[in-house]
């Protein structure tokens, strides 16, 4: 089942010719979720041949401009291209007023319904779910309220080994329990472990998005064991005071967080424009967490069925 993240932009607030501001497309089981929407995101969507109208859910982490200034352009284009189906925006409360003011001033009357869901969370909160996926918001530590997002597959039914059905003489109810990954407790005190009776389980794939934030416990908890973590690393540790005062993270801290949270792979981004060669950030993060990569535009991260395995592809070539 598809579980991919594509980086559309990964720069910090100041514009550069090297990267676009933050935006990503998360494709889970062929559902497209846009995460943050910096200026120019609609052009990036065109560039990477993503269908505008396949995006039905947009998640905005916080209301600093480099994370949402692309929304008005994208939504207006969806309207121009004839969209009629609803679109859900998970964002801090203030966004609705901003967008409505822009639509009013430009005399744009959308042909589709925008549904606003307040993403501001003081604790982990389920924002979206369908049959196979759950998306949670969780609090981070920034200058204004900021939400991280966790995409996690729902556990699939386990497959039972036929030999165990016979060996334990499992009845239908017991088989259902085991398929739902629950141990069977019999009245005679016997316990049948679901893990012992099942085989070839696909790994639960998961992705945590964390930008912008100072290092925080909530990220460590919510990103615990994820297949892939995207974490900002705006500064090198030589500027840790600047990172602290602006509520951002250094590449040293990003590496430590990935190590402590025992994630499969770390991708760092949201680099300050002062770094011409970002390898300085990569090398520092890798000191603590070997499985680290630098974000780059067009980078596609494919989470595979093996435990915490992530393959990265360059979509520019
Ligand atoms: Zn910010």
């Amino acid at each position: 089942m598809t579980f991919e993240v594509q980086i559309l932009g990964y720069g910090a607030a100041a514009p550069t010719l090297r990267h676009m501001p933050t935006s990503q497309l998360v494709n889970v089981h062929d559902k497209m979720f846009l995460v943050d929407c910096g200026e120019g995101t609609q052009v990036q969507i065109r560039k990477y041949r993503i269908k505008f109208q396949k995006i039905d859910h947009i998640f905005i982490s916080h209301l600093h401009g480099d994370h949402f200034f692309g929304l008005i352009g994208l939504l207006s284009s969806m309207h121009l291209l004839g969209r009629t189906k609803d679109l859900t925006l998970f964002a801090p409360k203030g966004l609705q007023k901003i967008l409505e003011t822009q639509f009013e001033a430009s005399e744009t009357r959308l042909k589709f319904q925008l549904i606003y869901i307040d993403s501001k969370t003081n604790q982990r909160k389920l924002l979206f779910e369908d049959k196979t996926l759950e998306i949670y918001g969780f609090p981070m530590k920034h200058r204004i309220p900021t939400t991280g997002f966790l995409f996690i597959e729902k556990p699939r039914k386990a497959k039972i080994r036929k030999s165990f059905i016979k060996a334990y003489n499992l009845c239908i109810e017991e088989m259902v329990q085991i398929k739902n990954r629950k141990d069977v407790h019999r009245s005679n005190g016997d316990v049948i472990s679901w893990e012992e009776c099942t085989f070839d389980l696909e790994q639960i794939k998961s992705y945590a998005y964390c930008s912008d934030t100072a290092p925080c416990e909530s990220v460590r908890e919510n990103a615990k064991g994820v297949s892939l973590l995207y974490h900002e690393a705006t500064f090198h540790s030589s500027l840790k005071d600047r990172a602290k005062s602006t509520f951002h993270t250094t590449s040293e801290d990003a590496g430590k967080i990935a190590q402590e949270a025992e994630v499969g792979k770390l991708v760092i981004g949201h680099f300050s424009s002062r770094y011409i060669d970002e390898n300085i950030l990569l090398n520092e993060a890798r000191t603590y967490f070997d499985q680290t990569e630098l974000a780059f535009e067009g980078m596609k991260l494919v989470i595979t069925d093996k435990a915490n395995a992530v393959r990265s592809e360059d979509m520019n070539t």
Side-chain angles (χ1 to χ4, degrees):
M1 298 261 255
T2 321
F3 201 130
E4 297 171 354
V5 177
Q6 185 162 24
I7 309 285
L8 303 176
Y10 62 97
T16 75
L17 295 177
R18 299 188 307 281
H19 28 58
M20 298 290 287
T22 303
S23 186
Q24 312 188 343
L25 191 84
V26 183
N27 176 350
V28 185
H29 311 157
D30 290 324
K31 269 201 171 122
M32 307 289 186
F33 303 93
L34 189 70
V35 180
D36 279 339
C37 187
E39 197 180 340
T41 294
Q42 60 172 333
V43 179
Q44 299 298 88
I45 289 175
R46 271 274 191 261
K47 182 172 176 183
Y48 293 102
R49 298 193 174 90
I50 298 156
K51 293 198 171 89
F52 277 62
Q53 312 298 24
K54 281 202 84 176
I55 299 168
D56 293 333
H57 303 88
I58 300 179
F59 294 78
I60 300 295
S61 62
H62 66 302
L63 293 184
H64 279 156
D66 54 321
H67 292 256
F68 84 98
F69 279 173
L71 263 180
I72 187 70
L74 174 64
L75 296 173
S76 302
S77 297
M78 285 175 162
H79 165 77
L80 283 176
L81 295 168
R83 184 183 183 106
T84 51
K85 65 177 169 170
D86 296 355
L87 189 142
T88 306
L89 265 173
F90 301 86
K93 226 175 188 171
L95 185 65
Q96 182 167 359
K97 198 172 155 197
I98 297 168
L99 289 178
E100 283 175 356
T101 304
Q102 289 177 310
F103 288 132
E104 201 183 312
S106 58
E107 296 192 9
T108 305
R109 281 173 204 87
L110 294 183
K111 289 189 217 92
F112 60 95
Q113 183 82 29
L114 266 183
I115 300 160
Y116 295 90
I117 309 277
D118 184 2
S119 67
K120 189 184 161 211
T121 48
N122 299 322
Q123 56 186 14
R124 176 167 153 139
K125 178 178 153 192
L126 183 64
L127 295 173
F128 170 93
E129 85 174 303
D130 65 11
K131 274 189 199 160
T132 59
L133 174 72
E134 289 176 342
I135 305 174
Y136 292 88
F138 56 89
M140 299 198 292
K141 202 170 153 190
H142 199 39
R143 297 196 299 286
I144 56 173
T146 302
T147 309
F149 299 112
L150 171 68
F151 294 72
I152 184 161
E153 285 181 326
K154 285 184 176 173
R156 284 173 287 270
K157 289 203 187 313
K159 294 174 192 163
I160 307 180
R161 292 176 198 275
K162 275 192 182 150
S163 57
F164 280 79
I165 299 176
K166 259 193 176 174
Y168 286 115
N169 197 18
L170 296 173
C171 68
I172 305 254
E173 287 81 22
E174 289 172 334
M175 284 196 275
V176 170
Q177 259 178 282
I178 288 169
K179 281 184 180 178
N180 287 326
R181 300 168 186 245
K182 285 186 181 128
D183 293 342
V184 170
H185 294 262
R186 283 181 165 162
S187 53
N188 64 1
D190 287 351
V191 178
I192 304 168
S193 153
W194 72 267
E195 280 173 301
E196 188 195 346
C197 302
T198 53
F199 69 104
D200 192 26
L201 290 169
E202 280 180 55
Q203 290 293 318
I204 303 292
K205 294 173 225 152
S206 53
Y207 172 57
Y209 171 86
C210 304
S211 182
D212 303 355
T213 184
C216 69
E217 200 44 45
S218 169
V219 167
R220 285 186 196 91
E221 280 168 16
N222 285 287
K224 186 80 189 168
V226 292
S227 321
L228 173 64
L229 168 65
Y230 176 90
H231 201 290
E232 70 135 291
T234 309
F235 300 104
H236 184 262
S237 64
S238 54
L239 288 177
K240 63 178 174 223
D241 290 343
R242 175 106 183 106
K244 205 172 172 190
S245 66
T246 55
F247 290 81
H248 281 298
T249 299
T250 64
S251 38
E252 177 181 0
D253 283 327
K256 283 182 182 170
I257 288 164
Q259 184 194 54
E260 286 157 16
E262 298 176 307
V263 306
K265 187 187 267 291
L266 167 68
V267 171
I268 52 173
H270 201 267
F271 308 128
S272 162
S273 58
R274 60 173 50 73
Y275 299 109
I276 305 298
D277 181 1
E278 286 145 359
N279 280 309
I280 186 178
L281 305 170
L282 178 65
N283 293 336
E284 185 171 65
R286 277 191 178 163
T287 311
Y288 299 92
F289 190 72
D290 179 44
Q291 288 297 310
T292 305
E293 285 191 47
L294 289 175
F296 60 86
E297 191 191 299
M299 180 187 212
K300 192 179 251 191
L301 295 137
V302 183
I303 303 175
T304 71
D305 287 332
K306 287 195 188 126
N308 278 340
V310 182
R311 197 176 70 237
S312 67
E313 298 170 356
D314 184 352
M315 301 308 286
N316 283 315
T317 55

